[in-house]
């Protein structure tokens, strides 16, 4: 009964804020205490008893009451931070003030006229808000709030355990918070005893911090190019708890083990309050770990354009191998959580914050581009096979998200991480490790390496939905970057590459967009890299190239006259059943999987446009001594296909250099050999059957413009630069040899052919090896803003209980109900 009465008083107080004709005086403590004096109030009660409509009504009709409410709530938090939460009543007041501010702040941010309120100087709002500080020295309300929350996160008996034997009068201001880091890990060797009450209190305070930082959601994209004042101050030297807070957040995330003691169904027997804390800590961490400066090309050291971000600075100082191993091991454990297989269905806890984990991993790797100090983490990740513990779950998430349009952002971040890693030589080398783990993904069964898994996974191109088309360049760039280091591709992976070439080299596809031929250049570069640098171990790929040699001859002899172009486009329209009037529909992928229908009421946050590949990568050429030499971007007017073909002998027109190599090799249509090629052995037939979807699925234009149409001059401009010489020379040498063996021995099985190719050599027969060209990810403002938008969209959707930002006027992105 008493609980109901207290909620009734709370509700009446909310109504009085809008109905009173005169503003409520700040000195009327009896009235204001109704909002935070009830210890039984929960966060759900606050959100239910303070409806959005009434918050907006107070903001519009009684602005002084709303201002006083915010001021009084901050005042109580500051007072508690100064004196400590010595009693249960004081702790209840702190929690209720925290919940009330979490509820109100989004409605402050959505109104441009109110957005500066917390940064104004409120009379009496000094460091202690007790009148001892002159008004001229008063802090803005936002600074007082952030400092108070930081203090409360290290408040004895509220969020941290008081040391045994310590004086009960020990307050927040006198303790050294570095001795009270929440979890063992980086920079802290003591394991604090678990305390679920402390975890709950920390979670509520972190939720308020996240709400404070969310002002960015209410600014248009143009406004998000500026500094976030909340984040800047929180991460500045003004916050004396910056170091222990950074360490606590990082350790809590990386030390978390959702499996716990390994007891089946333990998550059904008790509520794991630590998971809530981990989720909030992770979200706060990815928000504050953001260098506020716009990235510049190849900066010598990281320099922020505003106040120093201590969280970023502390991250750069992690150098001990045991600390780096702790971070990597923790992230890998959490990312692999959905892959844990048990004999009992759903017996192990499944975490839901994998998107935030991927953002954190991206930031840890991306920061390596800013400073030599940051390179330690990426170097540590790539120096052993531990990077594969991150690769496999990324592919798992991509596989499950590829046909679901509501998870488009997850697909993008996975591809971006692969692109960043692929720019490092050690990543390509590590991919040669055999793949033995069997992850529940609908991919063909194969025996091979992690490189095979990565290439086979490029079914994302043929088995996804049309909104993934902007990622095709990035996906193929990943394969190009790793191709010089792949020692032995499986038959499944080799066949997948040839089927992608078959799809992309179809005339109707090449002529459908001004950019589609770039994909063919990427694939030809992959073949050239493997042939020139890893020929000995890749008999499966050489065999697949020989079997599909007609593709290369057709590509070299691609008709470019106007009549042929018209026939190819007409064939495209007939095949897709699309009339010329509905050109927009022609961009969809034939045979692509439809998007998985989302559950009714599912919310989806919109994303920024994907930056172009030329804007997010820089070209680096591997010199003789193994160092990377930057390659300037070519003139857009002359850049056709790929910069990897520039300045290399293999890029010159085959018709100009060696006209005869574009014709089928002598004897290509001999009887027994022709029968062998048309009916390959069992393993190839199995691969073709397994991957037949890829051959049938013809992706349409990656990008197209309504007023563009292919011309003969345009086709000739890039056809003359197709890097076919190496492949044609290989076919010219090997096809007659293989056919002779087929005729002499009467072979009808491919095993003997593969054995012959394994012991073959092309030394001295191929053109001079071209320099290895790697397209490394380059930090840029477009990608940084894309990640900021994606990150806040994830945070919005992950915080629906309570619904902190639901139904507010978000401007950074759009929320769509599916």
């Amino acid at each position: 009964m008493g609980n109901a009465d207290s909620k009734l008083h709370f509700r009446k107080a909310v109504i009085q804020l809008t109905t009173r004709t005169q503003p409520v005086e700040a000195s009327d403590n009896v009235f204001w205490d109704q909002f935070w004096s009830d210890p039984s109030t929960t966060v759900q009660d606050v959100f239910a008893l303070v409806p959005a409509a009434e918050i907006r009504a107070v903001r519009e009709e009684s602005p002084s009451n709303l201002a006083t409410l915010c001021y009084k709530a901050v005042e109580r938090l500051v007072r508690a931070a100064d004196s400590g939460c010595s009693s249960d009543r004081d702790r209840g007041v702190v929690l209720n003030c925290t919940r009330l501010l979490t509820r109100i702040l989004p409605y402050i941010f959505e109104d441009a006229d109110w957005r500066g309120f917390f940064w104004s100087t409120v009379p009496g709002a000094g460091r202690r808000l007790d009148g001892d500080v002159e008004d001229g020295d008063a802090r803005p309300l936002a600074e007082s709030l952030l400092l108070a929350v930081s203090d409360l996160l290290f408040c004895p008996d509220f969020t941290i355990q008081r040391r045994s034997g310590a004086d009960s009068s020990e307050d927040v201001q006198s303790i050294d918070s570095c001795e009270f880091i929440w979890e063992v890990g980086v920079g802290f060797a003591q394991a604090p005893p678990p305390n679920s009450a402390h975890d709950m209190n920390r979670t509520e305070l972190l939720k308020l911090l996240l709400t404070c930082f969310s002002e960015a959601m209410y600014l248009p994209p143009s406004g998000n190019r500026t500094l976030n004042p909340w984040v800047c101050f929180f991460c500045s030297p003004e916050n004396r708890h910056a170091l222990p807070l950074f360490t606590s957040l990082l350790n809590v995330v990386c030390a978390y083990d959702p499996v716990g003691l390994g007891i089946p169904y333990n998550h059904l027997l008790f509520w794991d309050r630590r998971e809530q804390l981990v989720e909030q800590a992770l979200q706060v961490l990815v928000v504050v770990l953001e260098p506020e400066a716009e990235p510049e090309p190849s900066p010598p050291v990281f320099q922020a354009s505003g106040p120093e971000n201590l969280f970023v600075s502390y991250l750069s100082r992690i150098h001990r191998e045991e600390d780096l191993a702790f971070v990597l091991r923790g992230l890998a454990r959490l990312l692999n959580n959905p892959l844990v297989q048990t004999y009992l269905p759903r017996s192990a806890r499944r975490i839901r914050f994998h998107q935030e984990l991927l953002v954190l991993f991206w930031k840890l790797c991306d920061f390596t581009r800013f400073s030599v100090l940051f390179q330690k983490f990426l170097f540590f990740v790539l120096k052993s096979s531990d990077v594969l513990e991150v690769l496999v779950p990324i592919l798992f998430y991509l596989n499950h998200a590829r046909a679901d349009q509501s998870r488009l952002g997850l697909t993008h971040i996975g591809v971006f991480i692969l692109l960043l890693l692929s720019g490092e030589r050690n990543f390509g080398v590590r991919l040669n490790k055999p793949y033995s783990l069997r992850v529940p993904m609908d991919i063909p069964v194969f025996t091979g390496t992690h490189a095979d898994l990565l290439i086979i996974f490029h079914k994302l191109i043929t088995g996804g939905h049309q909104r993934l088309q902007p990622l095709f360049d990035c996906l193929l760039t990943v394969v190009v970057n790793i191709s010089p280091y792949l020692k032995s591709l499986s038959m499944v992976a080799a066949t997948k590459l040839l089927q992608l070439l078959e799809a992309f080299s179809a005339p109707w596809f090449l002529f459908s967009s001004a950019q589609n031929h770039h994909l063919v250049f990427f694939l030809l570069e992959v073949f050239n890299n493997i042939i020139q640098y890893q020929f000995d171990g890749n008999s499966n790929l050489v065999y697949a190239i020989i079997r599909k040699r007609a593709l290369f001859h057709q590509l070299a002899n691609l008709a470019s006259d106007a009549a042929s172009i018209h026939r190819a486009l007409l064939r495209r329209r007939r095949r897709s059943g699309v009339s010329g009037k509905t050109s927009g529909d022609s961009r969809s992928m034939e045979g692509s999987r439809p998007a998985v229908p989302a559950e009714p009421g599912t919310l989806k946050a919109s994303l920024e446009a994907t930056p172009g590949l030329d804007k997010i990568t820089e070209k680096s050429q591997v010199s003789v001594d193994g160092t990377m030499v930057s390659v300037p971007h070519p003139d857009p007017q002359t850049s056709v296909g790929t910069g990897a073909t520039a300045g290399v002998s293999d890029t010159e027109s085959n018709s100009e250099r060696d006209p005869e190599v574009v014709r089928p090799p002598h004897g290509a249509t001999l009887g027994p050999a022709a029968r062998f090629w048309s009916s390959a052995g069992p393993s190839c037939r199995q691969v073709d059957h397994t991957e037949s979807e890829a051959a049938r699925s013809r992706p349409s234009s990656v990008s197209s413009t309504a007023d563009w149409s292919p011309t003969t001059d345009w086709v000739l401009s890039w056809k003359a630069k197709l890097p076919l010489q190496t492949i044609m020379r290989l076919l010219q040498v090997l096809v007659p040899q293989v056919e002779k063996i087929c005729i002499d021995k009467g072979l009808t099985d491919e095993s003997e052919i593969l054995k012959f190719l394994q012991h073959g050599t092309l030394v001295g027969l191929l053109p001079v090896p071209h320099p290895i060209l790697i397209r490394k990810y380059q930090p840029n403002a477009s990608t940084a803003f894309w990640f900021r938008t994606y990150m806040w969209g994830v945070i919005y959707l992950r915080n629906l209980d309570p619904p902190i930002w639901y139904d507010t006027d978000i401007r950074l992105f759009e929320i769509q109900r599916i």
Side-chain angles (χ1 to χ4, degrees):
M1 187 69 179
N3 187 24
D5 289 342
S6 62
K7 288 181 173 52
L8 181 60
H9 291 312
F10 185 99
R11 180 68 188 133
K12 288 181 178 179
V14 173
I15 295 175
Q16 289 178 32
L17 287 178
T18 56
T19 57
R20 282 198 179 187
T21 56
Q22 297 296 324
V24 182
E25 295 293 333
S27 58
D28 189 356
N29 290 327
V30 175
F31 174 80
W32 298 113
D33 284 348
Q34 296 178 88
F35 291 99
W36 39 73
S37 61
D38 181 15
S40 64
T41 305
T42 65
V43 64
Q44 286 76 18
D45 293 335
V46 172
F47 275 72
L49 297 174
V50 187
E54 294 189 13
I55 299 176
R56 292 188 174 106
V58 174
R59 187 184 67 195
E60 302 300 328
E61 300 170 12
S62 304
S64 60
N65 285 344
L66 180 59
T68 305
L69 178 63
C70 293
Y71 167 73
K72 295 293 288 185
V74 174
E75 180 188 41
R76 295 306 298 262
L77 291 179
V78 172
R79 187 182 305 169
D82 286 343
S83 61
C85 303
S86 56
S87 65
D88 290 340
R89 182 182 182 278
D90 291 339
R91 296 168 196 144
V93 169
V94 169
L95 291 176
N96 285 335
C97 291
T98 298
R99 295 159 183 163
L100 190 63
L101 288 171
T102 302
R103 178 57 170 160
I104 293 175
L105 275 171
Y107 299 91
I108 298 288
F109 294 150
E110 73 174 7
D111 191 315
D113 294 333
W114 274 85
R115 210 167 288 144
F117 166 72
F118 271 83
W119 292 101
S120 60
T121 302
V122 180
R127 292 180 183 272
R128 298 178 181 272
L129 289 178
D130 56 6
D132 294 339
V133 181
E134 296 294 332
D135 287 348
D137 298 328
R139 284 191 179 276
L141 205 58
E143 294 184 4
S144 299
L145 173 59
L146 291 174
L147 292 178
V149 173
S150 297
D151 285 339
L152 290 169
L153 286 169
F154 292 96
C155 181
D157 295 330
F158 182 60
T159 51
I160 60 173
Q161 191 79 30
R162 189 183 298 273
R163 290 175 297 185
S164 59
D167 186 357
S168 60
S169 63
E170 181 182 45
D171 61 8
V172 178
Q173 303 300 324
S174 63
I175 68 171
D176 181 4
S177 51
C178 288
E179 299 178 5
F180 294 91
I181 292 173
W182 301 346
E183 186 57 78
V184 64
V186 176
F188 196 68
Q190 305 174 19
N195 189 309
S196 59
H198 291 173
D199 285 351
M200 290 178 60
N201 296 337
R202 294 165 179 168
T203 301
E204 300 242 26
L205 291 170
L206 290 179
K207 202 179 291 288
L208 174 57
L209 274 181
L210 199 61
T211 307
C212 292
F213 301 151
S214 68
E215 180 181 341
M217 279 201 262
Y218 299 91
L219 300 176
S222 58
N224 269 276
R225 308 288 179 176
T226 59
L227 301 175
N228 185 330
W230 295 85
V231 173
C232 284
F233 181 80
F234 182 77
C235 299
S236 72
E238 292 275 0
N239 184 359
R240 72 184 185 94
H241 301 291
L243 176 58
L245 270 174
F246 162 76
T247 312
S248 296
L249 297 176
L250 184 63
N251 290 354
V252 161
V253 172
C254 295
Y256 180 59
D257 184 2
V259 178
L261 298 176
I263 303 174
Y265 302 107
N266 60 348
H267 59 284
L268 301 179
L269 301 177
F270 58 87
W271 188 17
D272 183 8
R273 300 185 186 277
R274 176 50 65 103
E275 181 177 357
Q276 289 183 298
L277 174 62
V278 171
E279 183 175 336
Q280 291 298 318
L282 180 57
Q283 292 176 1
V284 171
L285 198 57
V286 297
V287 169
V288 298
L289 284 179
E290 183 170 357
E292 299 293 348
E294 297 293 355
E296 299 293 339
S298 303
V301 294
F302 172 75
Q303 295 178 340
S305 60
E308 179 185 10
N309 186 321
L310 291 181
F311 280 63
V312 176
S313 177
Y314 294 142
L315 182 64
S316 72
R317 299 178 191 178
I318 300 176
H319 63 279
R320 297 190 309 168
E321 290 217 349
E322 53 266 37
D323 291 337
L324 295 172
F326 168 77
V327 174
L328 178 58
R329 188 168 56 248
L331 294 179
R333 178 176 59 252
L334 293 175
L335 287 172
N336 278 278
N337 170 259
L339 280 62
V340 176
Q341 299 296 303
T342 60
Y343 291 102
L344 301 174
R346 292 183 291 277
S347 63
R349 178 70 176 172
R350 294 288 184 264
I351 62 170
R352 303 296 179 188
F353 47 82
H354 51 273
Q355 295 186 85
E356 295 96 313
L357 287 169
L358 291 175
V359 173
L360 178 58
F361 182 78
W362 166 268
K363 287 178 177 290
L364 292 173
C365 293
D366 186 27
F367 285 166
T368 64
R369 324 298 295 180
F370 290 109
S371 167
V372 175
L373 295 173
F374 279 116
Q375 293 178 3
K376 293 187 295 291
F377 180 77
L378 187 57
F379 174 78
F380 181 83
V381 169
L382 296 172
K383 80 173 186 177
S384 69
S385 297
D386 291 341
V387 66
L388 303 179
E389 295 297 316
V390 178
L391 170 67
V392 174
I394 288 176
L395 296 180
F396 171 84
Y397 294 126
L398 288 176
N399 181 67
H400 282 264
R402 75 179 192 276
D404 187 350
Q405 295 195 40
S406 66
R407 303 173 72 184
L408 184 63
L410 175 59
T411 308
H412 277 72
I413 186 174
V415 173
F416 285 153
I417 291 176
L418 294 179
L419 177 64
L420 186 148
L421 293 176
S422 70
E424 306 295 330
R425 176 187 178 277
N426 281 346
F427 179 68
V429 174
R430 303 303 169 207
L431 290 175
N432 290 305
K433 181 179 180 180
Y435 173 72
S436 57
L437 178 67
R438 288 293 173 252
V439 177
M441 291 190 287
D442 52 337
I443 59 175
V445 177
F446 72 97
T447 300
T449 65
H450 284 77
D452 295 310
L453 176 67
L454 180 57
I455 291 175
I456 292 170
F457 184 73
H458 274 56
K459 65 184 297 181
L460 194 70
I461 293 177
T462 56
H465 54 82
Q466 62 181 1
R467 294 187 65 190
L468 297 180
Q469 292 176 15
L471 294 177
F472 286 4
D473 283 352
C474 288
L475 285 165
L476 291 182
T477 300
V478 171
V479 182
V480 173
N481 285 344
I482 65 174
S483 59
Y485 314 110
L486 306 184
K487 295 183 177 180
S488 179
L489 288 183
S490 68
M491 184 63 74
V492 177
T495 304
K496 163 62 73 175
L497 290 176
L498 267 298
Q499 288 170 342
L500 286 176
L501 179 65
E502 183 178 10
F504 292 145
S505 63
W508 65 262
F509 176 73
L510 290 172
F511 300 154
S512 297
S513 166
Q515 309 297 326
N516 283 357
H517 63 282
H518 291 184
L519 305 179
V520 173
F521 276 81
F522 281 131
L523 286 169
L524 293 179
E525 186 178 351
V526 171
F527 298 141
N528 289 336
N529 283 339
I530 295 178
I531 292 171
Q532 292 278 19
Y533 292 98
Q534 301 292 344
F535 175 83
D536 291 343
N538 280 288
S539 57
N540 287 327
L541 180 63
V542 174
Y543 174 72
I545 289 175
I546 293 175
R547 285 188 65 239
K548 293 287 187 178
R549 64 194 184 280
L551 284 176
F552 302 97
H553 298 308
Q554 292 169 7
L555 193 57
N557 294 292
L558 181 68
S560 57
D561 58 282
S564 298
I565 293 174
H566 177 73
R567 283 195 300 270
L569 294 177
L570 189 62
R571 190 177 302 115
R572 156 71 171 137
R573 295 191 186 98
R574 289 202 197 101
R575 182 176 302 179
S576 60
V578 178
S579 65
K581 296 181 180 180
T582 57
S583 59
D585 294 338
S586 67
R587 293 193 296 269
S588 63
M589 294 192 302
E590 297 179 10
S592 62
R593 294 179 55 183
V596 176
E599 296 181 5
T602 299
L603 298 178
K604 180 179 70 171
S606 64
L607 295 170
E608 283 297 301
T610 308
L613 184 66
D614 58 332
K615 297 183 182 301
I616 64 177
T617 59
E618 64 175 356
K619 297 170 184 175
S620 299
Q621 186 172 292
V622 181
S623 60
V624 178
D625 59 358
T627 59
M628 291 284 190
V629 180
S630 180
V631 177
H633 283 280
D635 184 353
Q637 299 299 323
T638 61
S639 174
V640 287
T642 170
T645 61
V648 181
S649 62
D650 197 27
T651 66
E652 299 180 22
S653 171
N654 290 311
S655 59
E656 295 175 359
R657 291 173 56 92
D658 199 356
E660 68 274 10
V661 299
V662 302
R663 295 191 293 271
H666 175 68
T669 57
L670 294 177
R675 287 194 297 272
F676 174 78
W677 297 120
S678 62
S679 58
S683 63
C684 275
R685 285 200 301 272
Q686 181 181 4
V687 171
D688 286 344
H689 175 73
T690 306
E691 293 292 309
S692 59
E693 179 188 353
R696 292 194 305 268
S697 302
R698 296 290 195 256
S700 73
S701 60
V702 174
S703 60
S704 62
T705 53
D707 57 349
W708 178 87
S709 60
T711 64
T712 299
D713 291 340
W714 170 78
V715 175
L716 292 176
S717 68
W718 56 261
K719 177 185 172 183
K721 296 180 175 64
L722 284 171
L724 286 167
Q725 186 187 16
T726 296
I727 299 174
M728 289 302 187
R729 189 66 57 82
L730 178 146
L731 294 175
Q732 198 173 37
V733 173
L734 291 183
V735 169
Q737 296 179 18
V738 172
E739 289 182 336
K740 186 176 186 302
I741 295 177
C742 293
I743 296 171
D744 293 345
K745 297 185 178 181
L747 297 180
T748 58
D749 187 85
E750 64 187 8
S751 59
E752 291 294 327
I753 303 298
L754 289 172
K755 189 179 299 183
F756 166 76
L757 294 174
Q758 287 172 358
H759 297 90
T761 180
L762 292 178
V763 175
L765 299 176
L766 295 178
V768 177
H770 56 274
I772 297 175
L773 196 72
I774 303 297
R775 295 164 185 81
K776 298 172 69 73
Y777 168 77
Q778 175 67 25
N780 60 92
S782 299
T783 310
F785 182 62
W786 187 96
F787 269 91
R788 187 178 306 146
T789 305
Y790 171 70
M791 175 185 67
W792 279 114
V794 170
I795 291 173
Y796 177 101
L797 297 175
R798 294 283 298 147
N799 286 273
L800 294 178
D801 184 24
I804 299 177
W805 301 283
Y806 182 76
D807 203 26
T808 58
D809 187 18
I810 302 293
R811 302 188 66 188
L812 180 59
F813 48 82
E814 294 181 1
I815 295 296
Q816 304 162 350
R817 184 180 296 276
I818 301 177

